[in-house]
Amino acid sequence: MIKVVKFGGSSLADASQFKKVADIVKAEKERKYVVPSAPGKRFKEDTKVTDMLYECYSLASTGKSFDELFTKIRERYQQIIDELSLDVSLDEEFAKIRSAFVSKAGRDYAASRGEYLNGILLAAYLGFPFIDAAEVIFFKNDGSFDSEYTNDVLSKKLKEYEYAVIPGFYGSMPNDTIKTFSRGGSDITGSIVSRAAMADLYENWTDVSGFLMADPRIVDSPMTIDTITYRELRELSYMGAGVLHEDAIFPVRLCGIPINIRNTNDPSARGTFIVAEAPTDRENTHNITGIAGKKGFCIISIEKDMMNQELGFGRRVLKVLEDNGISFEHLPSGIDTMCVVVNQLAIDGLEKKIIDELSRAVAPDKIEITRDVALIAVVGRGMKSRKGTAAKILTAVAESDVNIRMIDQGSSELNVILGIQQEDFEKALNAIYKKFVK
Ligand code: ASP
């Protein structure tokens, strides 16, 4: 049995967090490969080391003095070394990094040092070998991740090590320069390592006890989701439910390795399991998995009699948007009506032009743009097999006296998406949550 364990920045922010991490790793001998982030925030107003590195490099690359900030970064690591009494010196590493900053080694290189140095310290503390991610994680010339080559090299490498620490967030380009994933990318590294190790489980340790059914800033103390499928998670993350990097799902999904989101500060909590398939009947208490939403959309509504008989109508509408560089998010349609939901930022300033072009392209009877729309996605694999979910959602919203502008049910029957006026967002979300979770 092999478990890959990834620890986020707040789990490794200082020496006391390192101790919790070591206790967790050592508690199960199956926890063989450890993927650390860079030290994160120790308290609310604190700065993540990654952000300090970006800032420091931006000073260095514009020829400004960066020593003060560089020393602060050094001190963060030194404090961990001192408090854990580690027999490690990072002097040489920092000398190398300093001259690389001066010779402008790149922003990605700079940011990646956060994980690299933390990996060295964690490896020393755990007594595990250290594998530099630059030697096992690869990007292609166009900057995209080279999944197959990485998997080849990394899986061979891991066979040589029973236990190891592999820093998250970065890898190398064909010309040996360093490249990082996007922010929060250590989650992706953890997933890649899990695939290469053919792990039984990918544990992703963070500072919350799993995914919540709704955003706790909107709904008071929402319940934790016990089990969620990859696809449900994708729906919820698209709507802005954070915790895990979106791209972290793909490598493990390929081979069906479950992800378990756990809390470093509460290791006894079971957390959330993200799996390929999950039974729906276990959670028949509330029938939905989660609710998420986002503000900042626009609905373009088009009406025309006999629209359904007009060949190419939809294509002409979408072509206008495409020509203006606007992608659409949803496309619910009726018999003589069609709605296109787009991101408000994408259409800002172009409204009149779009209306004119659409009028010319399809000669509609009526065309209207509604701004300031929020979308709410109610997601649940249980919807497919149970009647009445949509009715319950709509009733909840109606009872809270909120007007629904758009309804869209994904063809997979995994979600119902509602469009409402932005100012009703919090009210509607709470109403739906309460209707399903008593
Ligand atoms: N340290 C990087 C960041 O802050 C990557 C990560 O933590 O996953 O984005």
Side-chain angles (χ1 to χ4, degrees), residues 313-331:
F313 190 95
R315 181 181 48 76
R316 288 200 295 276
V317 168
L318 295 183
K319 180 154 191 323
V320 169
L321 294 176
E322 188 179 338
D323 290 346
N324 283 280
I326 300 169
S327 66
F328 73 90
E329 311 279 334
H330 297 280
L331 197 66

Side-chain angles (χ1 to χ4, degrees), residues 299-304 307 310 312-324 326 331 338-342 347 350-369:
I299 302 179
I300 307 171
S301 331
I302 304 164
E303 261 181 57
K304 187 174 187 184
M307 175 193 287
E310 208 177 299
F313 190 95
R315 181 181 48 76
R316 288 200 295 276
V317 168
L318 295 183
K319 180 154 191 323
V320 169
L321 294 176
E322 188 179 338
D323 290 346
N324 283 280
I326 300 169
L331 197 66
M338 178 172 170
C339 283
V340 192
V341 181
V342 300
I347 200 174
L350 291 173
E351 283 101 332
K352 191 169 172 312
K353 183 164 180 267
I354 300 278
I355 291 187
D356 288 350
E357 289 180 21
L358 283 175
S359 304
R360 254 177 280 134
V362 293
D365 296 334
K366 192 171 159 205
I367 176 163
E368 200 177 67
I369 296 190

